[in-house]
């Protein structure tokens, strides 16, 4: 059900992200289609080949392809993959923790739009991405502001009375990204802001 609700949101349906405490926030799927302020600060740091993890409808994957940067998006939702391909990007239906083509050879891995929260265990995710990038490769991650508390939430998607399964999603503060990066095998961390977004380069 979660996958279908996400796919419907990509198709324009109104959906919400619901927390176990009852809070609900709108799932702003529309913002993932076109480039937004701050994207350039990520795109300009990507080198071929780039792996876009949790690529959604593929705005970054497609933008990189148009710039001549070899890029592959991976997402767990068939509709997201189809939208990326339709827009001119390359994408596969794949979970980052499953077998990924080019493992150990990617120059750049992207974790935009808070996708460092995938799986609810950011250190485990970064360790996995460490396996995917080549020696000396980099991870570009979007994180939360430094005054935000890092945490793991249980959330699910909701559209009216339809609900998906609960899953873990992590929030990582800029204040904690260096510690997590070191633990995952990335000794160098560069941090900066762009248009109100907080970004980090791990290498």
């Amino acid at each position: 059900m979660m996958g279908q609700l996400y796919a419907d949101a990509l198709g324009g349906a109104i959906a919400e992200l619901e927390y176990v405490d009852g809070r609900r926030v709108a799932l702003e799927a529309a913002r993932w289609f076109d480039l937004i302020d701050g994207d350039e600060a990520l795109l300009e740091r990507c080198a071929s080949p780039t792996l876009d993890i949790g690529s959604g409808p593929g705005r970054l994957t497609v933008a990189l392809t148009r710039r001549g940067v070899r890029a592959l998006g991976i997402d767990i939702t068939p509709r997201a993959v189809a939208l990326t391909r339709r827009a001119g990007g390359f994408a596969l239906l794949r979970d980052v923790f499953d077998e990924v083509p080019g493992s150990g050879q990617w120059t750049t891995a992207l974790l935009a739009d808070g996708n460092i929260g995938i799986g609810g265990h950011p250190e485990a995710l970064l360790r996995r991405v460490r396996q995917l990038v080549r020696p000396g490769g980099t991870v570009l991650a979007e994180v939360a502001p430094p005054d935000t508390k890092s945490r793991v939430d249980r959330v699910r998607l909701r559209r009216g009375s339809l609900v998906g399964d609960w899953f873990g999603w992590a929030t990582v503060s800029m204040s904690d990204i260096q510690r997590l990066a070191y633990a995952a095998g990335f000794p160098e961390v560069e941090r900066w802001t762009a248009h109100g977004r907080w970004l980090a380069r791990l290498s």
Side-chain angles (χ1 to χ4, degrees), residues 51-56 72-76 81 91-92 94-96 100:
L51 181 67
D52 186 4
I53 300 167
S55 52
L72 174 69
I74 58 172
D75 201 280
I76 61 172
V81 171
L92 290 177
R94 201 63 52 93
D95 187 308
V96 65
V100 175

Side-chain angles (χ1 to χ4, degrees), residues 135-181:
T138 64
V139 178
L140 299 173
E142 183 170 356
V143 296
D147 58 351
T148 303
K149 181 180 179 180
S150 295
R151 63 186 187 277
V152 177
D153 291 299
R154 297 291 291 174
V155 298
R156 65 181 178 183
L157 295 183
R158 171 183 285 275
R159 190 178 81 246
S161 61
L162 297 177
V163 294
D165 295 330
W166 294 103
F167 60 95
W169 191 267
T171 297
V172 176
S173 170
M174 177 69 91
S175 300
D176 294 322
I177 187 61
Q178 188 165 12
R179 173 182 57 80
L180 287 169

